Amino acid sequence: MPQTARKTAGRVYLVGGGPGDPGLITLRAIECLRRADAVVYDYLVNPRVLSHARSDAELVCLGRHGQDQVAGEQVGREAAGGGRARGRIMSQPEINETLVDLAGAGKTVVRLKGGDPAVFGHLAEEVAALVEAGIEFEIVPGVTAASAAASYAGVPLTDRDSASAVAFVTGHQRGDATAVDLDAKALAAFPGTLVVYMGVTTAATWTRDLIAAGKPSDTPAAIVRRASLPDQQRWICRLDEVAERLAVGPVRPPVLVIVGDVVGDASGGESSLDWFTRRPLFGRTVLVTRPLGQAEDLSAALLELGADVLAQPAIEISPPHDVAAVDRAVERLAEFDWLVFSSANGVRYFFERLLANGDLRALGGVRLAAIGPGTAEALARFHLRPDVLPDTYRAEALAEALVPFVNGRRILLIRASRGREVLAEQLAASGGVVEQVVAYRSTDIATADAEVTIAIDAGRIDWITVTSSAIARSLANMFGQRLRSSRLVSISPLTTETLGGLGYAVAAEASQYTMAGVVGAIVRAESASPKRAKT
Ligand code: SAH
């Protein structure tokens, strides 16, 4: 390649995006995504993986013709969340051209593929096009669907007694979708596990051919749909039942079929290795309604327990109208004995102004109070520990804990643009000289995402988290009657009371008024009620 071309041309990273679970992407893939100017991605890639791309990266979604195209609601829903993507169905030559054009324009391009790019991923065609155009490339492997399906369905692909080899087989052949031209004889004699990709529509043909070629019809098979995703499904049957089983529903792609004795070993009752679907919240969908940027902890904890998580912020947190008022309070900090925080947002926004004006020495000898563990944690980020932290997370408890210290003391209360007056009132009643400053604004989000509304209407949302009274009120406005079609979990008796006042009953209430408490309440309620199958 001439030196001059190398200077101006970009580079293409052909990257495996993993099978579905966004955690199953490699560190190298993330590095590539972070530096990409453009990401050209497959329909099978979990759009959540795209969050590693820069916010200004160009996203090009490739639909794809083919029997196993995923037109499923979940994928469609998540892809719709991408927002900045442009995309349409492209032929392979068009995909090649897109890559060459983008890189030719000097861009760093990530070609993101489902699973591993080297497994049924049209790698050769794309690489050939890049070589021909003199464009540099790198290939980043990913976790292929076979590995994910095996691990997440608790089926080992090899076994020292029963399977000393594995074959990745495609059920889809060029041309006529129902014609399979596999070497059935060779595969029937294969001394190990067969993993069939893209074998849904052709199942009747390839299972029949394998059996005709001598594979025992009672060979155990595992059908794994949407492996590693929160709605993964798994069925165990015999080889001669696979086509029939796939016809029920019918089962839609993406599906892998694992055929071999390893399946039989893994499927036995309680000793089953099916850890993934046994997680406490597997098959449950939870709507998290915390403000944008503050939902991660709660979402992560729910995901960890197997839930599918959707987000619908009910309120928005933003800087106050009057930032100068906060700045003035910061300047006068030395005049106060107590600085009282009634939310983590209060800490965040107050310290933003404090640090914009100086440094932590401005706090001097002022004593600190926090309403609960989340607020204390926000203080801990500044290496500060509250002098007062009540046992129960509510304004009354904070006031009570402060009462012995406030008589004649000057107290600065950091608060939201709206909220309860009870703290200020009680502190003043106990002889405190209370000043309040609005450090941030909390406003309702008026309309729900269309996709979330659809999910609620379809009965797909099992739980809605209600983590404050403000959120309760906003949700009531946003969803009205719809709020009754899912179970509500409340963070505290106060929030439960607010919901009650609005006419909604809660199905669970946290005993610890924290995000962890909310998660615990859902898990308790789920384990108390017999698990409903979701399929
Ligand atoms: N390069 C990909 C495979 C692409 S072919 C990889 O390495 O995984 C597409 C086929 O992969 C689908 O038809 C299906 O058979 C399989 N597949 C991909 N993701 C899957 C998933 N999450 N669950 C089950 N099968 C999956």
Side-chain angles (χ1 to χ4, degrees):
M1 186 169 48
Q3 211 47 41
T4 45
R6 196 170 278 169
K7 240 185 234 158
T8 47
R11 165 187 277 262
V12 175
Y13 296 92
L14 297 136
V15 176
D21 181 337
L24 293 181
I25 189 168
T26 64
L27 290 175
R28 180 67 186 147
I30 293 175
E31 276 170 16
C32 295
L33 280 167
R34 284 200 184 129
R35 70 172 70 137
D37 301 308
V39 182
V40 181
Y41 65 99
D42 264 9
Y43 69 106
L44 266 179
V45 165
N46 188 337
R48 286 183 194 185
V49 165
L50 297 171
S51 64
H52 297 293
R54 293 198 322 255
S55 58
D56 63 341
E58 181 182 348
L59 302 182
V60 183
C61 174
L62 304 178
R64 218 195 61 174
H65 285 298
Q67 57 157 359
D68 275 359
Q69 174 141 11
V70 182
E73 295 122 36
Q74 280 81 6
V75 167
R77 180 192 77 213
E78 290 172 15
R84 52 203 168 101
R86 65 175 162 98
R88 64 187 177 85
I89 291 173
M90 280 193 207
S91 65
Q92 190 61 50
E94 283 177 302
I95 295 172
N96 299 348
E97 201 181 308
T98 304
L99 297 178
V100 168
D101 286 353
L102 287 167
K107 292 189 174 160
T108 299
V109 183
V110 163
R111 167 72 175 107
L112 192 62
K113 292 162 177 279
D116 184 298
V119 178
F120 304 128
H122 298 268
L123 184 64
E125 288 107 302
E126 292 177 18
V127 165
L130 295 174
V131 169
E132 193 184 329
I135 289 171
E136 288 197 46
F137 65 90
E138 180 177 321
I139 305 172
V140 181
V143 174
T144 189
S147 291
S151 293
Y152 280 59
V155 176
L157 287 179
T158 63
D159 181 87
R160 58 200 289 193
D161 296 323
S162 55
S164 51
V166 187
F168 292 170
V169 179
T170 171
H172 177 60
Q173 296 290 297
R174 286 168 200 244
D176 181 1
T178 53
V180 179
D181 37 49
L182 293 170
D183 185 343
K185 203 154 181 253
L187 287 175
F190 184 75
T193 308
L194 303 179
V195 186
V196 183
Y197 286 67
M198 295 174 279
V200 174
T201 52
T202 54
T205 314
W206 63 258
T207 53
R208 186 198 57 214
D209 290 354
L210 278 178
I211 293 166
K215 189 95 182 155
S217 54
D218 63 354
T219 308
I223 299 170
V224 188
R225 175 169 189 268
R226 289 179 58 81
S228 82
L229 288 158
D231 57 348
Q232 170 179 309
Q233 290 170 294
R234 181 190 97 145
W235 299 272
I236 307 281
C237 60
R238 292 157 44 121
L239 178 58
D240 60 359
E241 293 166 342
V242 167
E244 211 177 296
R245 178 54 260 188
L246 286 171
V248 180
V251 177
R252 287 200 322 233
V255 166
L256 271 190
V257 185
I258 305 175
V259 181
D261 291 336
V262 287
V263 172
D265 300 341
S267 60
E270 272 308 291
S271 65
S272 150
L273 304 175
D274 186 9
W275 60 274
F276 186 64
T277 60
R278 271 210 308 256
R279 292 172 307 160
L281 296 183
F282 180 82
R284 297 288 162 266
T285 302
V286 183
L287 185 68
V288 168
T289 58
R290 300 205 73 207
L292 203 68
Q294 297 178 17
E296 281 67 22
D297 285 0
L298 180 55
S299 301
L302 291 164
L303 286 167
E304 193 67 30
L305 294 171
D308 193 4
V309 176
L310 293 184
Q312 174 59 66
I315 58 176
E316 185 177 18
I317 304 297
S318 50
H321 283 306
D322 189 4
V323 177
V326 188
D327 289 350
R328 281 195 301 276
V330 168
E331 259 167 50
R332 295 176 43 233
L333 258 181
E335 296 172 21
F336 295 96
D337 301 297
W338 282 94
L339 188 52
V340 178
F341 294 98
S342 51
S343 72
N345 283 317
V347 174
R348 223 166 284 137
Y349 280 90
F350 183 78
F351 279 89
E352 195 178 304
R353 294 318 306 162
L354 187 145
L355 295 175
N357 288 293
D359 62 28
L360 286 182
R361 285 172 297 175
L363 289 171
V366 72
R367 303 184 78 190
L368 303 173
I371 195 165
T375 310
E377 207 179 292
L379 282 171
R381 286 195 202 121
F382 299 98
H383 305 284
L384 297 167
R385 212 178 298 163
D387 300 286
V388 162
L389 177 66
D391 293 334
T392 21
Y393 169 31
R394 61 183 296 179
E396 286 82 352
L398 177 57
E400 210 170 291
L402 277 169
V403 160
F405 310 105
V406 297
N407 193 16
R409 300 292 179 199
R410 287 155 310 171
I411 301 162
L412 180 60
L413 212 64
I414 308 302
R415 58 168 298 166
S417 54
R418 57 181 178 183
R420 301 166 74 219
E421 293 298 330
V422 56
L423 187 55
E425 283 166 9
Q426 291 195 10
L427 295 177
S430 307
V433 182
V434 180
E435 272 186 51
Q436 303 197 58
V437 65
V438 173
Y440 64 98
R441 228 159 8 119
S442 153
T443 40
D444 286 357
I445 288 179
T447 38
D449 281 358
E451 302 294 333
V452 169
T453 309
I454 292 169
I456 291 190
D457 287 347
R460 286 215 308 269
I461 298 192
D462 300 287
W463 290 94
I464 298 179
T465 66
V466 190
T467 43
S468 74
S469 287
I471 288 176
R473 281 186 284 268
S474 177
L475 286 175
N477 286 332
M478 191 184 278
F479 291 121
Q481 282 301 326
R482 283 201 169 95
L483 207 48
R484 292 182 209 287
S485 53
S486 308
R487 288 189 278 175
L488 303 180
V489 54
S490 152
I491 194 169
S492 70
L494 185 65
T495 302
T496 303
E497 209 178 292
T498 306
L499 281 167
L502 295 162
Y504 301 96
V506 304
E509 182 185 280
S511 45
Q512 232 197 336
Y513 312 152
T514 59
M515 298 308 143
V518 170
V519 175
I522 297 178
V523 171
R524 269 200 313 279
E526 286 288 355
S527 57
S529 65
K531 221 163 195 180
R532 294 163 296 149
K534 261 218 136 175
T535 51

